[in-house]
Amino acid sequence: MAKIRLEHIYKRYGKVTAVKDFNLETEDGEFVVFVGPSGCGKTTTLRMIAGLEDITEGKLYIGDRLVNDVPPKDRDIAMVFQNYALYPHMNVYENMAFGLRLRRVPRDEIDRRVKEAARIIKIDHLLNRKPRELSGGQRQRVAMGRAIVREPKVFLFDEPLSNLDAKLRVEMRAEISKLQRRLGVTTIYVTHDQVEAMTLGQRIVVMKDGEVLQVDTPLNLYDFPETKFVAGFIGSPSMNFIRTRVQVEGGNAYFVGEGFKVKANQTLGASLMPYNGKEVWMGIRPEHIGLKGWTTVPEGENVIKGRVEVVEPLGADTEVHADVAGHMMTAKVDGHALVRTGDTVELLVDTSKLHAFEVEGNEKAIG
Ligand code: ATP
């Protein structure tokens, strides 16, 4: 096991800065996920850790060793890619053994490691098959098996599940999580899928435009996003944002929008006081909005009227997309709520779950 430490890491390609001032220290055995939209620099950072890209500036440590100039094969890491790149002419056993052979690991040691890994990832019955005789999920398992037999200090995963169908992705996600806990190997996992990030990561690094916006546990990212971007990126469906004006009245703060006035609770209200008269984003997650008559959210100074544009029944919940003065608002309501396109509805906001963000600069969270 090993900690990974990145200190002020930069990557520049000519004039393009792909990664800016990246700082992170993992725990021993921790599962850390890098997440962010396409082009934000996740893969570049992972490849720098792997040694597949030079580091322009900054220091990278694996364990206590500065590894900036250490070649990939001497870093004690194993990487699993999106396209698993198995050798088509070799069977599963040979694919898993190949890297060890190159390293001149003794034959009986190779045999022990391959069989052990195959047992752990449940492919022991497939060892004689060629890659073309395997399903996508099985191939992905073999790719992981190949990483496991190396017995590395660090696993690096680059979108390993993106070629699999939705159902298999969910299954493999659970497998990777179990496997990582069982082996206890420090892991960095890159994905653009926030659900994958939330379910796998002990901590998540949210990136945008080459910069780290927030590093936190999944729940803290969900509950306490530090910027509007993180708030919108984490959680599905995404948080609703409505541009409002803050109005302070009788010691309370209100979000005033077109056709509604929602009262902030005491805590958020106190932070909103200095914004009196100014514009802010009001943020509320779809799951924190109820439909009047079908919710336990009490009615008070928290009603937003809208006209239903789309109804998406999902069984337990229904997603209602309503037009509120020209803006779409999504509410996740009781799956049995009777609601139809064209209805005028009253949406009740759970005021203990409101967020506020500045409208300027990095759109930082208020409070
Ligand atoms: P994706 O999810 O699409 O893979 P990413 O977050 O992994 O995106 P990177 O692949 O790390 O993003 O790319 C970060 C930025 O660096 C992008 O703007 C990309 O165009 C740029 N970039 C990456 N590789 C090179 C290169 N070899 N030369 C020039 N620019 C590059």
Side-chain angles (χ1 to χ4, degrees):
M1 283 199 287
K3 289 186 182 181
I4 302 170
R5 193 159 90 241
L6 293 93
E7 285 181 1
H8 305 293
I9 298 277
Y10 284 77
K11 177 70 190 183
R12 296 190 192 92
Y13 296 104
K15 284 195 182 131
V16 177
T17 303
V19 178
K20 281 178 219 155
D21 199 22
F22 196 116
N23 292 285
L24 177 73
E25 179 165 4
T26 71
E27 299 290 332
D28 250 355
E30 194 178 15
F31 198 128
V32 176
V33 178
F34 295 173
V35 70
S38 185
C40 71
K42 343 178 258 298
T43 299
T44 304
T45 308
L46 195 77
R47 289 173 59 84
M48 285 192 280
I49 298 171
L52 303 172
E53 292 284 350
D54 286 335
I55 294 169
T56 311
E57 203 182 311
K59 290 180 177 161
L60 170 68
Y61 294 87
I62 296 179
D64 293 326
R65 188 159 72 128
L66 181 68
V67 295
N68 285 48
D69 299 319
V70 174
K73 66 176 178 43
D74 299 329
R75 290 194 185 192
D76 227 347
I77 52 162
M79 193 151 168
V80 179
F81 296 93
Q82 173 182 138
N83 52 354
Y84 353 102
L86 302 178
Y87 301 107
H89 58 287
M90 293 184 193
N91 68 20
V92 169
Y93 184 99
E94 290 159 352
N95 262 288
M96 285 167 68
F98 186 68
L100 301 180
R101 288 221 178 97
L102 285 185
R103 285 180 172 71
R104 302 189 187 290
V105 175
R107 184 179 293 252
D108 51 349
E109 172 71 8
I110 294 179
D111 193 60
R112 183 190 69 74
R113 289 204 208 171
V114 170
K115 287 186 177 148
E116 166 75 3
R119 197 176 50 75
I120 292 173
I121 53 176
K122 302 189 201 93
I123 52 167
D124 19 12
H125 59 299
L126 303 173
L127 288 173
N128 293 322
R129 296 227 193 138
K130 295 272 171 63
R132 66 167 182 278
E133 297 162 338
L134 301 174
S135 70
Q138 289 167 338
R139 272 181 226 155
Q140 187 56 53
R141 278 205 171 78
V142 178
M144 283 197 282
R146 216 165 37 173
I148 295 170
V149 294
R150 302 262 310 274
E151 298 183 351
K153 285 208 180 108
V154 175
F155 280 135
L156 302 178
F157 288 96
D158 189 4
E159 307 240 10
L161 305 183
S162 45
N163 285 339
L164 305 179
D165 68 45
K167 186 162 175 284
L168 200 52
R169 221 161 39 219
V170 173
E171 276 173 36
M172 291 301 291
R173 200 163 77 197
E175 294 279 330
I176 290 178
S177 179
K178 265 198 297 195
L179 183 69
Q180 197 272 344
R181 263 179 282 146
R182 172 166 180 180
L183 300 176
V185 176
T186 310
T187 298
I188 298 189
Y189 187 107
V190 162
T191 179
H192 62 270
D193 179 347
Q194 61 90 22
V195 176
E196 220 165 275
M198 292 291 276
T199 50
L200 283 171
Q202 283 171 297
R203 276 193 305 160
I204 300 175
V205 177
V206 184
M207 296 182 72
K208 183 180 172 240
D209 299 336
E211 289 185 84
V212 173
L213 292 191
Q214 195 168 346
V215 182
D216 225 323
T217 60
L219 266 187
N220 274 346
L221 285 178
Y222 178 84
D223 287 334
F224 310 109
E226 288 169 3
T227 53
K228 176 173 175 262
F229 177 83
V230 173
F233 194 75
I234 300 292
S236 174
S238 291
M239 185 184 283
N240 295 288
F241 300 105
I242 308 184
R243 232 175 141 106
T244 59
R245 193 171 289 281
V246 177
Q247 192 175 314
V248 176
E249 242 177 54
N252 293 309
Y254 294 84
F255 292 99
V256 182
E258 247 178 280
F260 69 87
K261 188 171 165 187
V262 168
K263 186 173 160 184
N265 70 0
Q266 283 296 316
T267 323
L268 184 57
S271 309
L272 284 169
M273 292 294 162
Y275 293 84
N276 188 16
K278 294 196 179 129
E279 289 204 326
V280 298
W281 290 109
M282 180 184 91
I284 185 79
R285 296 194 183 279
E287 54 273 39
H288 299 143
I289 303 175
L291 194 63
K292 188 174 167 178
W294 298 92
T295 175
T296 53
V297 176
E299 187 175 346
E301 291 174 289
N302 65 339
V303 183
I304 300 180
K305 276 198 181 139
R307 188 179 171 280
V308 175
E309 300 259 311
V310 181
V311 178
E312 294 179 304
L314 302 167
D317 314 297
T318 292
E319 281 176 26
V320 174
H321 305 275
D323 180 306
V324 175
H327 302 282
M328 284 308 266
M329 222 172 146
T330 303
K332 203 168 179 180
V333 307
D334 188 310
H336 297 93
L338 295 175
V339 56
R340 279 171 317 192
T341 306
D343 286 355
T344 298
V345 288
E346 290 188 287
L347 302 171
L348 307 185
V349 169
D350 180 348
T351 52
S352 67
K353 298 286 170 43
L354 279 165
H355 296 257
F357 303 92
E358 294 184 347
V359 293
E360 274 151 18
N362 294 333
E363 301 177 308
K364 288 209 176 78
I366 299 167

